[in-house]
C-alpha cells in the first residue's frame, strides 16, 4: 500500500486508463495535423483494454511491472499535453511551425514506444485477444518510430505559394481554407482571436511569422467574402437580411459601449476596445483594463486590423452598413496610420529612453519592444520618432534586461526594410555583435536573429562579418537553446552567401559543430547543418575542412533516408567533395553511395537529380579506369 493506503497497482492502472480516456475524448483535430493527430490518438486508444484487464485481474503486479507502467504513464501524460496544444490556438501559426510540431509528434512516438518496450507482458495475466491487440499497437508505434511523418505534400506546396506570392491563384487559397478548416466568418473570427492572443503572449517569439499570418488571414478573408454562401448579391436578399436584424457577435462589440466596433484597438492586456471609448477611459486617468481590471503596462493602443477586417466581412455578409470612423484622417502622418494619441505615447517612451533613470529606460525599452512587435505601422512610427539611435545606445547598457529589450526592439523594428538601413546607419552592428558575445542568453539569441534580419541586405553581410560576428555565432550554435541554435544557424547561413564570410566561418571552426549536429538526429538541426555545409563546400578551404571531418558515410545515409531538401543538400556536399578528388570518389563508392545516388537521380528534386547524376558519372569513370 502507498502512504495514503491506496494500492500502487490500482493507482497506476487507474491513471493510465484515465489518460487514455482523456486522450480518446478530445475533440476531432481540424487543422493541418489532423492526420498525424488522428493516427496518434487511434494508437493510444488501442491501449485501453490492457489497463482495464490488468485492473480487473487478481494477479498482483511486481515492482518492475509497476515502474514500467509508471514510465508509460509519464509518456502518455506528455502526449496528452502535446495533442491538446496541437488542437488549440492559431491554425495558421501551427501550419507555419509544421516542422517543429512534426518533430514533437515523432519524439512522443519514440518515447511511448520505448516505454512499451520496457513492459514485461509475459508477467501479466492477459487474454489472448488483448495480447494480440497490444502486440499490434506496439508494432504500430515501432513502425511509426522508424519514419518521420510529413504534412500532405499539397498542403506544403500551397502554404509555400500562398506565403510567397502576393496574388496566388484563388484555387490555392480555397484549398488552404478547406484543409485548415477556415471556411466561414466564424472560423476566421476564432483564428483572428487566437492570432492576437498568440502575439500578446509570445513576447516577440512569433518573429517573421507575424507578417506571413497577417497576409494569409487577409487572403482567406477575401476568399470568404467572395465565396461565402451566406452572401447573396441580389438586392432582394440583401433587403431581407437587413430586416432580420442580425445578432452582433460578442467579439465584435466594444466591452465598454457594447456597440459594434468601428475602429478596434488593443491595449497592453490583449483586450480589444473601440478606440474612442478606451481613449476616454485613459484620458480620465484610469490605469487599468476595464474588462480584466489588470494594471496596464503602458497606455499605448494598437490597431486590431484583423478584427477590423472581420467586422467589415460580417457587415457585408449580413447586409449591415459598414461602420464609418469619425474624423477625416487629416491628423495622420503620411506613411503611418498610427493616431496622434499613439504617437504621443511613443514620444513619451522616447523621452524616458533619452532622459530617464535606469528603471525608466528599461521599462520604456520593454514597451517599445512590444509595440514594435505588433504591427507594421508601429514599426514605421517608432523609427520616424527617432527611437533607433536611442535603442542602439542602450545596447551598451550595464543592465542585462535593458540590453535584452533594446536588442529585441531593434530586431522587431528591422522587419521593416527601410528600418534595416537606419539601424546600420546608427552604427548598431558593432554593438549588436558585442551583445552577441557578452550578453545574457536571451540577448545573444535575439542579437543573432537581428544580425540575420540585417544580413538580408547584401552590403550588410560584409559589415557584419568584418565586425567579428561569426565566431560568436558559432559559439551560440554550440551552446544556445534550441531557438538560439536556429537563430545562429540562419545567421551563419545568410552571412556565408558572401564569399569572404565563408573563409571566416571555416577558420573559426564551423565544420566540427556542424558535423556534430548532422550526426545527432535528435538535435533538430540536421536541416540547418546540411544547408550551411552545402554553401561552405563551394569554397576551396571549406571543401578541404569538410573532407577532413570524414562526412561521406553520414552524407550517404542522409541521401538514402533523409527528407527531400536534406537529400539535395547532402548530394551537393558530396558532389563538391568528389569533384576532382579520386580518393573521395573511391571512398564514396566503398560506402555505398552509388546505390543511394541512383535512387536520388530518379526520385530527387531537380537539383538533387543533377548533383546525383554528376557524381554517378564520376564514379563510373573511376570504375572504368580501375578496370583498364
Amino acid at each position: 500500500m502507498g502512504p495514503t493506503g491506496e494500492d500502487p497497482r490500482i493507482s497506476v492502472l487507474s491513471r493510465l486508463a484515465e489518460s487514455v480516456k482523456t486522450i480518446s475524448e478530445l475533440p476531432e483535430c481540424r487543422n493541418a495535423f489532423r492526420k498525424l493527430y488522428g493516427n496518434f490518438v487511434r494508437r493510444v486508444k488501442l491501449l485501453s483494454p490492457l489497463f482495464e484487464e490488468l485492473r480487473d485481474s487478481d494477479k498482483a503486479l511486481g515492482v518492475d511491472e509497476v515502474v514500467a507502467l509508471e514510465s508509460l504513464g509519464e509518456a502518455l501524460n506528455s502526449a496528452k499535453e502535446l495533442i491538446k496544444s496541437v488542437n488549440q490556438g492559431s491554425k495558421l501559426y501551427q501550419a507555419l511551425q509544421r516542422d517543429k510540431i512534426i518533430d514533437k509528434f515523432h519524439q512522443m512516438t519514440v518515447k511511448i514506444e520505448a516505454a512499451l518496450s520496457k513492459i514485461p507482458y509475459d508477467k501479466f495475466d492477459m487474454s489472448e485477444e488483448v495480447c494480440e491487440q497490444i502486440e499490434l499497437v506496439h508494432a504500430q508505434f515501432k513502425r511509426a518510430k522508424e519514419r518521420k511523418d510529413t504534412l500532405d505534400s499539397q498542403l506544403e506546396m500551397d502554404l509555400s505559394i500562398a506565403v510567397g506570392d502576393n496574388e496566388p491563384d484563388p484555387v490555392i487559397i480555397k484549398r488552404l481554407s478547406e484543409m485548415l478548416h477556415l471556411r466561414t466568418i466564424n472560423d476566421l473570427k476564432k483564428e483572428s482571436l487566437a492570432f492576437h492572443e498568440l502575439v500578446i503572449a509570445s513576447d516577440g517569439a512569433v518573429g517573421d511569422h507575424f507578417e506571413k499570418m497577417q497576409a494569409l488571414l487577409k487572403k482567406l478573408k477575401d476568399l470568404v467574402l467572395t465565396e461565402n454562401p451566406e452572401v447573396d448579391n441580389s438586392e432582394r436578399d440583401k433587403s431581407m437580411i437587413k430586416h432580420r436584424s442580425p445578432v452582433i457577435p460578442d467579439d465584435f462589440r466594444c466591452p465598454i459601449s457594447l456597440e459594434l466596433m468601428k475602429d478596434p484597438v488593443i491595449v497592453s492586456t490583449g483586450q480589444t476596445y473601440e478606440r474612442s471609448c478606451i481613449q476616454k477611459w485613459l484620458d480620465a486617468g484610469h490605469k487599468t483594463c476595464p474588462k480584466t481590471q489588470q494594471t496596464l503596462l503602458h497606455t499605448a493602443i494598437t490597431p486590431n486590423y484583423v478584427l477590423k477586417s472581420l467586422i467589415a466581412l460580417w457587415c457585408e455578409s449580413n447586409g449591415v452598413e459598414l461602420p464609418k470612423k469619425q474624423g477625416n484622417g487629416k491628423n495622420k502622418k503620411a506613411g503611418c496610420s498610427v493616431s496622434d494619441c499613439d504617437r504621443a505615447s511613443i514620444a513619451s517612451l522616447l523621452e524616458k529612453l533619452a532622459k530617464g533613470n535606469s528603471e525608466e529606460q528599461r521599462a520604456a525599452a520593454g514597451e517599445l519592444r512590444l509595440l514594435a512587435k505588433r504591427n507594421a505601422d508601429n514599426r514605421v512610427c517608432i523609427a520616424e520618432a527617432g527611437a533607433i539611435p536611442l535603442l542602439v545606445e542602450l545596447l551598451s547598457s550595464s543592465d542585462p534586461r535593458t540590453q535584452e529589450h533594446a536588442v529585441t526592439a531593434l530586431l522587431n523594428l528591422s522587419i521593416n526594410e527601410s528600418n534595416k538601413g537606419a539601424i546600420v546607419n546608427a552604427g548598431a552592428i558593432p554593438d549588436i555583435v558585442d551583445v552577441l558575445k557578452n550578453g545574457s542568453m536571451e540577448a545573444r539569441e535575439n542579437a543573432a536573429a537581428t544580425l540575420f534580419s540585417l544580413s538580408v541586405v547584401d552590403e550588410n553581410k560584409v559589415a557584419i562579418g568584418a565586425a567579428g560576428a561569426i565566431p560568436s555565432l558559432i559559439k551560440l550554435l554550440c551552446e544556445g537553446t534550441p531557438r538560439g541554435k536556429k537563430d545562429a544557424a540562419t545567421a551563419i547561413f545568410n552571412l556565408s552567401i558572401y564569399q569572404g564570410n565563408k573563409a571566416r566561418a571555416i577558420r573559426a571552426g564551423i565544420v566540427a559543430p556542424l558535423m556534430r549536429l548532422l550526426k545527432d538526429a535528435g538535435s533538430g538541426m540536421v536541416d540547418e547543418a546540411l544547408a550551411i555545409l552545402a554553401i561552405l563546400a563551394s569554397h576551396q578551404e571549406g571543401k578541404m575542412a569538410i573532407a577532413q571531418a570524414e562526412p561521406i558515410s553520414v552524407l550517404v545515409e542522409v541521401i538514402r533516408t533523409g527528407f527531400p531538401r536534406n537529400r539535395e543538400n547532402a548530394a551537393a556536399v558530396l558532389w563538391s567533395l568528389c569533384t576532382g578528388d579520386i580518393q573521395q570518389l573511391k571512398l564514396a563508392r566503398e560506402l555505398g553511395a552509388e546505390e543511394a545516388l541512383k535512387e536520388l537521380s530518379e526520385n530527387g528534386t531537380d537539383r538533387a537529380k543533377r548533383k546525383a547524376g554528376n557524381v554517378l558519372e564520376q564514379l563510373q569513370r573511376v570504375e572504368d579506369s580501375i578496370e583498364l
Side-chain angles (χ1 to χ4, degrees):
M1 291 286 178
T4 61
E6 186 178 21
D7 183 338
R9 176 180 71 90
I10 299 299
S11 174
V12 68
L13 291 170
S14 295
R15 288 198 300 274
L16 283 163
E18 186 57 36
S19 291
V20 172
K21 183 172 181 286
T22 302
I23 291 170
S24 303
E25 291 175 352
L26 286 171
E28 179 192 1
C29 185
R30 295 166 67 84
N31 59 31
F33 302 97
R34 56 187 173 276
K35 183 181 174 185
L36 274 76
Y37 181 101
N39 287 341
F40 195 88
V41 170
R42 176 179 49 75
R43 292 183 200 120
V44 169
K45 277 182 183 179
L46 292 172
L47 292 170
S48 185
L50 169 64
F51 310 135
E52 291 170 2
E53 189 154 310
L54 290 177
R55 197 165 50 180
D56 295 339
S57 170
D58 294 329
K59 185 176 180 180
L61 294 178
V63 173
D64 291 345
E65 292 97 301
V66 171
V67 168
L69 290 169
E70 288 279 12
S71 173
L72 179 58
E74 288 174 15
L76 287 175
N77 276 334
S78 300
K80 183 168 59 179
E81 296 310 310
L82 169 64
I83 60 177
K84 272 185 184 176
S85 69
V86 168
N87 212 1
Q88 296 168 355
S90 166
K91 296 178 180 182
L92 288 175
Y93 183 67
Q94 291 193 341
L96 293 170
Q97 293 282 86
R98 53 195 176 275
D99 289 344
K100 289 183 180 177
I101 293 175
I102 288 169
D103 278 343
K104 286 181 181 178
F105 267 106
H106 187 253
Q107 289 162 15
M108 194 51 57
T109 297
V110 169
K111 193 172 179 181
I112 291 177
E113 194 281 326
L116 288 170
S117 297
K118 293 175 185 173
I119 295 176
Y121 301 107
D122 55 326
K123 296 183 180 178
F124 292 157
D125 181 17
M126 291 191 295
S127 66
E128 190 175 333
E129 185 182 53
V130 170
C131 279
E132 288 175 358
Q133 181 162 321
I134 298 307
E135 282 174 10
L136 171 67
V137 178
H138 193 174
Q140 289 176 351
F141 272 106
K142 197 173 288 186
R143 277 199 303 275
K145 183 185 78 168
E146 300 305 322
R147 64 174 193 277
K148 188 178 282 189
D149 285 305
T150 57
L151 283 192
D152 179 274
S153 58
Q154 185 69 61
L155 176 56
E156 287 272 9
M157 194 182 305
D158 288 348
L159 271 171
S160 177
I161 294 169
V163 167
D165 192 341
N166 287 334
E167 294 185 12
D169 188 330
V171 173
I172 289 171
I173 302 300
K174 176 68 174 173
R175 271 201 305 264
L176 277 179
S177 169
E178 293 294 327
M179 287 189 280
L180 296 176
H181 286 265
L182 294 172
R183 301 164 177 154
T184 66
I185 296 168
N186 198 42
D187 292 337
L188 287 171
K189 181 187 74 175
K190 288 177 183 175
E191 177 64 20
S192 170
L193 293 171
F195 174 30
H196 279 288
E197 283 172 12
L198 171 71
V199 171
I200 297 301
S202 67
D203 196 24
V206 177
D208 63 347
H209 290 318
F210 183 92
E211 306 291 349
K212 292 176 184 175
M213 289 169 67
Q214 270 198 323
L216 280 173
L217 261 177
K218 185 178 185 307
K219 289 165 186 171
L220 288 163
K221 180 213 76 170
D222 291 343
L223 171 80
V224 172
L225 182 61
T226 55
E227 295 194 359
N228 195 312
E230 296 166 18
V231 180
D232 190 317
N233 290 325
S234 73
E235 290 302 318
R236 179 184 59 80
D237 285 349
K238 280 190 176 181
S239 175
M240 286 175 65
I241 290 170
K242 282 179 185 176
H243 284 106
R244 278 193 228 130
S245 300
V247 177
I248 299 170
D250 289 342
D251 293 311
F252 292 176
R253 294 177 183 272
C254 172
I256 296 173
S257 68
L258 301 180
E259 298 293 328
L260 182 67
M261 287 186 276
K262 304 173 180 66
D263 188 11
V265 295
I266 307 168
V267 297
S268 68
T269 58
Q271 297 297 323
T272 296
Y273 298 93
E274 173 61 36
R275 184 188 290 275
S276 60
C277 296
I278 191 63
Q279 196 58 57
K280 284 177 187 173
W281 171 267
L282 296 173
D283 291 345
H286 297 293
K287 303 291 185 186
T288 56
C289 172
K291 189 171 181 180
T292 66
Q293 298 303 307
Q294 290 175 272
T295 301
L296 295 169
L297 297 174
H298 54 77
T299 56
I301 51 180
T302 309
N304 190 334
Y305 293 116
V306 178
L307 186 59
K308 186 175 181 179
S309 66
L310 289 174
I311 290 172
L313 172 61
W314 178 86
C315 290
E316 181 75 18
S317 301
N318 288 276
V320 175
E321 187 178 353
L322 288 171
K324 290 185 175 63
K325 244 169 77 171
Q326 291 180 344
N328 55 15
K330 287 182 181 175
N331 292 328
K332 291 190 177 178
K333 241 181 176 178
C336 173
S337 51
V338 175
S339 70
D340 284 341
C341 58
D342 292 333
R343 281 199 297 276
S345 298
I346 290 168
S348 171
L349 292 172
L350 265 57
E351 181 78 11
K352 290 175 184 174
L353 280 192
K355 299 177 181 177
N357 59 35
S358 58
E359 286 187 12
E360 288 172 330
Q361 286 181 325
R362 185 195 309 126
E367 291 182 26
L368 286 169
R369 166 186 180 171
L370 290 170
L371 286 171
K373 172 185 68 178
R374 286 208 181 121
N375 61 52
D377 288 324
N378 282 358
R379 288 190 275 279
V380 171
C381 288
I382 290 169
E384 285 180 354
I388 287 172
L390 297 171
L391 289 166
V392 171
E393 258 185 64
L394 288 183
L395 292 175
S396 307
S397 171
S398 58
D399 176 58
R401 194 63 179 153
T402 301
Q403 195 180 64
E404 286 168 16
H405 288 327
V407 77
T408 311
L410 288 169
L411 167 61
N412 295 336
L413 289 170
S414 74
I415 295 168
N416 177 286
E417 289 303 310
S418 62
N419 286 350
K420 293 185 201 297
I423 292 167
V424 173
N425 292 338
I429 287 177
D431 291 321
I432 295 169
V433 172
D434 192 58
V435 173
L436 177 66
K437 289 178 181 174
N438 304 309
S440 66
M441 184 56 75
E442 182 185 341
R444 288 169 64 194
E445 290 173 353
N446 288 339
T450 309
L451 291 175
F452 164 68
S453 178
L454 296 176
S455 70
V456 169
V457 180
D458 284 341
E459 55 264 34
N460 293 345
K461 293 179 175 69
V462 182
I464 293 167
I470 289 173
S472 297
L473 286 168
I474 294 171
K475 191 176 181 190
L476 182 61
L477 182 68
C478 295
E479 61 188 32
T481 65
R483 183 188 134 212
K485 289 179 178 179
K486 296 268 185 189
D487 288 335
T490 51
I492 292 167
F493 175 84
N494 222 33
L495 291 171
S496 297
I497 293 169
Y498 169 59
Q499 193 76 355
N501 286 335
K502 291 177 187 174
R504 288 190 174 103
I506 294 153
R507 291 165 194 167
I510 183 70
V511 171
L514 289 178
M515 288 304 300
R516 284 197 297 273
L517 293 171
L518 180 56
K519 291 174 181 177
D520 179 9
S523 70
M525 294 287 292
V526 171
D527 300 12
E528 290 83 356
L530 274 168
I532 297 170
L533 285 168
I535 206 168
L536 294 178
S538 65
H539 189 282
Q540 186 57 32
E541 281 186 56
K543 176 178 172 176
M544 291 168 60
I546 295 167
Q548 287 169 7
E550 301 181 348
I552 289 183
S553 61
V554 69
L555 291 174
V556 170
E557 183 59 27
V558 172
I559 291 169
R560 188 180 291 121
T561 63
F563 291 128
R565 185 176 57 184
N566 289 347
R567 298 177 77 199
E568 177 185 310
N569 281 329
V573 177
L574 189 63
W575 174 80
S576 292
L577 294 175
C578 291
T579 299
D581 192 321
I582 298 291
Q583 293 306 315
Q584 295 292 337
L585 280 165
K586 287 179 179 177
L587 183 57
R589 192 179 60 179
E590 289 168 13
L591 292 169
E594 196 166 1
E595 184 185 342
L597 288 166
K598 281 179 181 174
E599 196 278 330
L600 184 62
S601 69
E602 294 170 3
N603 300 311
T605 63
D606 289 344
R607 177 171 174 250
K609 286 177 181 177
R610 288 196 306 272
K611 298 295 184 185
N614 191 289
V615 179
L616 283 169
E617 286 175 13
Q618 294 184 64
L619 286 170
Q620 187 59 51
R621 285 200 294 271
V622 169
E623 191 172 331
D624 292 344
S625 66
I626 292 171
E627 288 175 0
L628 288 172

